[in-house]
Amino acid sequence: MDYTEPATKPGLNLVCTHGNDVEATTGKTASGATLILFTTGLGTPTGNPICPVIKVSTNNALAQRMSDIIDINTGSVIDGDKTIEQMGEDILEYCIKAASGEVIPKAVLLNQDDFIPWKRGVSL
């Protein structure tokens, strides 16, 4: 889908967004996202005022260093403690709990309410 194009079909929809973290989450939310899984290797502290952003760490060092903003740590796959399938089940379970209001993603708890529309062109 194009940036901010409304999702018309249920299920997984992919939105073409800018590489900037906040512009990307804004575009996905405008398209109708109800949860955003945001993978990060550096720990970008971004959220969205409308759609919960679930931050997924790609490694244990980041998850430990920035535990205040990381919701899910996938480093256990790299360490060999979990399979990709097991981690996928953990992520799905977390998403269901977040969508049901059983857990609150850290970006929501921290009021990381970031919003920047993409202006079609170069962004700095």
Side-chain angles (χ1 to χ4, degrees):
M1 297 177 354
D2 197 11
Y3 190 79
T4 72
E5 179 182 346
T8 57
K9 298 178 183 175
L12 177 65
N13 289 272
L14 301 177
V15 180
C16 179
T17 65
H18 190 277
N20 177 284
D21 301 335
V22 179
E23 289 175 338
T25 55
T26 300
K28 292 170 188 168
T29 301
S31 290
T34 55
L35 284 177
I36 294 174
L37 276 77
F38 184 93
T39 58
T40 181
L42 298 175
T44 304
T46 190
N48 186 276
I50 299 167
C51 178
V53 176
I54 298 168
K55 288 204 228 24
V56 181
S57 169
T58 59
N59 61 77
N60 291 328
L62 172 64
Q64 291 169 358
R65 187 174 63 252
M66 301 187 84
S67 61
D68 58 324
I69 68 162
I70 300 297
D71 298 296
I72 299 169
N73 174 22
T74 62
S76 56
V77 173
I78 295 171
D79 289 348
D81 297 330
K82 287 192 178 185
T83 66
I84 292 173
E85 291 79 13
Q86 289 170 326
M87 184 54 62
E89 290 174 12
D90 291 351
I91 292 170
L92 178 59
E93 183 179 322
Y94 186 92
C95 289
I96 291 169
K97 287 181 179 180
S100 301
E102 291 180 47
V103 296
I104 308 296
K106 293 180 180 178
V108 175
L109 293 173
L110 294 169
N111 295 316
Q112 292 174 328
D113 296 334
D114 304 314
F115 182 90
I116 302 173
W118 183 22
K119 299 174 292 301
R120 297 279 184 192
V122 177
S123 292
L124 302 176

